[in-house]
């Protein structure tokens, strides 16, 4: 079964990368089989929920044995689209942008950042972590030439929407937005917002509740 034929519920999709990370750890330990309980413990998910999630795409464990780690890892890679390396561009080579560029974990999930863009003349024409930095003025041309479909935005809030507009015009199909701003894109473009400030506020809220 191809991954594009599998409809994965939203909350299940959020859990699958946690299961995948557990499977990679198992392979690193040369562990051949894993139980739903072990996966659940690693992902902080109930074992029953793990079995329900995996059963959605035909992954069934053997009673008393568990799941074959290699087979289940391959199935998750199919469902999550990790077999196909997705090339991406990043716009905004500031501190957050550099942290994302240098994070090695994205390669494991099929994301390869191939080009960087910024408006700082001191950065344009240089390389950061082995990737070339281009002027944002070249964004449209280079994305179209390289046929890139994924973009990461790490620019200040006031520039986020204008950058998003150029990305959509260039043919980008998925945007991962780290800018502290709400941006609008057409329905055919997948948008993922990472609001770090909102996440911090939520953390502090739950901390205050516990202290009370």
């Amino acid at each position: 079964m191809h991954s594009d034929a599998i409809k994965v519920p939203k909350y299940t999709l959020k859990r699958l990368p946690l299961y995948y990370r557990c499977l990679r750890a198992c392979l690193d330990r040369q562990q051949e089989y894993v139980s739903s309980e072990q996966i659940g413990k690693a992902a902080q998910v109930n074992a029953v929920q793990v079995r329900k999630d995996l059963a959605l795409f035909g992954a069934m464990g053997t009673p008393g044995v568990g799941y074959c780690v290699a087979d289940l890892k391959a199935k998750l890679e199919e469902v999550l689209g990790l077999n196909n390396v997705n090339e991406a561009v990043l716009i905004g080579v500031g501190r957050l942008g550099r942290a994302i560029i240098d994070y090695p974990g994205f390669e494991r999930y099929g994301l390869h950042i191939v080009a960087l863009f910024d408006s700082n003349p001191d950065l344009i024409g240089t390389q950061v972590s082995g990737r070339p930095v281009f002027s944002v003025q070249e964004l449209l041309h280079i994305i179209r030439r390289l046929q890139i479909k994924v973009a990461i935005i790490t620019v200040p809030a006031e520039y986020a929407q204008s950058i998003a507009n150029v990305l959509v015009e260039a043919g980008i199909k998925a945007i991962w937005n780290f800018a502290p701003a709400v941006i609008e894109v057409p329905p055919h473009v997948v948008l993922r917002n990472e609001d770090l400030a909102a996440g911090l506020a939520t953390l502090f809220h739950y901390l205050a509740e516990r202290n009370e």
Side-chain angles (χ1 to χ4, degrees), residues 79-150:
V79 174
L80 293 171
L82 304 183
N83 291 324
N84 302 316
V85 174
N86 289 300
E87 293 186 334
V89 295
L90 182 142
I91 306 94
V93 192
R95 291 182 180 178
L96 178 56
R98 287 171 186 260
I100 292 173
I101 295 162
D102 290 334
Y103 178 60
F106 292 142
E107 294 281 354
R108 292 185 174 187
Y109 289 85
L111 180 70
H112 181 45
I113 300 173
V114 296
L116 314 174
F117 295 84
D118 204 279
S119 60
N120 185 346
D122 293 334
L123 288 174
I124 296 168
T126 67
Q127 287 198 348
V128 173
S129 297
R131 282 93 160 181
V133 181
F134 299 98
S135 167
V136 290
Q137 302 299 324
E138 298 185 73
L139 197 56
L140 186 69
H141 165 69
I142 291 177
I143 287 176
R144 284 178 172 174
R145 178 165 60 84
L146 297 180
Q147 298 184 324
I148 303 295
K149 300 303 179 186
V150 180

Side-chain angles (χ1 to χ4, degrees), residues 15 18 24 32 34 42 73 76 78 96 106 108 113 118 122 125 131 141 146 148 154 166 182 190-191 193 198:
R15 292 188 288 267
L18 303 179
R24 289 190 62 95
E32 294 185 14
V34 63
K73 174 178 173 289
L76 286 182
E78 178 188 353
L96 178 56
F106 292 142
R108 292 185 174 187
I113 300 173
D118 204 279
D122 293 334
R131 282 93 160 181
H141 165 69
L146 297 180
I148 303 295
T154 55
V166 175
V182 176
V190 179
L191 174 64
N193 288 300

